[in-house]
Amino acid sequence: MGKTLFVTTELHPETPGGAGAVVDQISGLIGNEEESVVLLLTPHTIEKVKERPGVRVEIAPIPEHGFVDRSQAAAAALEALVDPGDRVEVQDFEGIGFWALSHRAA
């Protein structure tokens, strides 16, 4: 069985947002049972990420603006982390999962 990857632009407490609080909680719960990875996409540099037991946090830069540019950058960052058998959960706003979903066969 593979790992679970959460792709988000928010992660509590590093960045504000309700989705970030949900990702923080769920990834921690899953991280107690299997490998859990959070891919935090941000146009800004985050200098420190709090340690989370059982959860690995990867930070990848994405452009601040541009729907396609942001979703392409998210897909490239995800591609570097995902393996066959992994499960991926992408936040459902901002369209950051568009490129990965529409080009997943490639």
Side-chain angles (χ1 to χ4, degrees), residues 8-18 20-21 40-42 44 46 52:
T8 183
T9 58
E10 301 173 354
L11 185 60
H12 177 79
E14 287 83 0
T15 60
L40 177 59
L41 305 167
T42 177
H44 311 290
I46 295 176
R52 293 164 168 82

Side-chain angles (χ1 to χ4, degrees), residues 3-4 9 15 22-23 26 33-35 39 45 47 55 57 62 67-68 72 74-75 79 85-87 90-91 101:
K3 61 189 171 288
T4 301
T9 58
T15 60
V22 172
V23 169
I26 294 175
E33 303 295 323
E34 62 184 61
E35 185 178 5
L39 174 57
T45 301
E47 295 184 17
V55 180
V57 178
I62 60 170
F67 174 81
V68 173
Q72 283 178 328
E79 184 179 15
D86 288 348
R87 290 164 306 284
V90 181
Q91 72 184 32
L101 291 171

Side-chain angles (χ1 to χ4, degrees), residues 74-97:
L78 179 60
E79 184 179 15
L81 296 173
V82 73
D83 295 312
D86 288 348
R87 290 164 306 284
V88 178
E89 178 68 31
V90 181
Q91 72 184 32
D92 63 351
F93 57 94
E94 298 183 357
I96 61 170

Side-chain angles (χ1 to χ4, degrees), residues 48-63:
K48 186 171 181 171
V49 174
K50 75 172 188 151
E51 288 190 33
R52 293 164 168 82
V55 180
R56 177 170 49 118
V57 178
E58 299 285 339
I59 301 173
I62 60 170

